[in-house]
Amino acid sequence: MTVDRSELADILAEATGWSVTADPHRFTLTNDDPPQVVIWTVTDGELAQLRYGANVRAKSFGGRRSADLGVLCLPVMETIGPFEGSRGVMRGTDLRIIE
């Protein structure tokens, strides 16, 4: 499954307030105040895994079965929200920031 990374970057930027750019291997999330950069290296397959997990959780609560890319915003926001460092890396489906 191919993921439209530019669409996901736009969705993440709108949801988080950070600048987000994408290339075939990573997303770069940049915050200006305070200056912070988080690089998330993730494959399309790993993004599909995260979406599938969100779909399963939503279905168990009676929600829709097919979530759009926006479903990835909440876990990313929960990860970068408390981040206080200046640089960090996230890898794949492990949504923890390593400084």
Side-chain angles (χ1 to χ4, degrees), residues 1-84:
M1 168 191 251
T2 302
V3 174
D4 184 345
R5 288 173 174 265
S6 61
E7 179 185 357
L8 181 54
D10 291 343
I11 291 168
L12 290 173
E14 186 176 329
T16 63
W18 290 42
S19 298
V20 182
T21 58
D23 67 33
H25 307 287
R26 72 189 60 80
F27 290 90
T28 303
L29 298 92
T30 308
N31 189 19
D32 294 329
D33 188 27
Q36 297 172 297
V37 175
V38 175
I39 297 173
W40 180 21
T41 55
V42 61
T43 65
D44 286 353
E46 290 165 333
L47 289 170
Q49 266 186 302
L50 289 168
R51 270 176 88 178
Y52 177 77
N55 287 340
V56 169
R57 283 188 299 280
K59 187 176 177 188
S60 71
F61 289 108
R64 282 189 358 201
R65 186 170 175 187
S66 176
D68 61 7
L69 288 172
V71 74
L72 300 176
C73 290
L74 183 60
V76 172
M77 287 172 44
E78 289 175 342
T79 301
I80 65 173
F83 178 61
E84 295 180 357

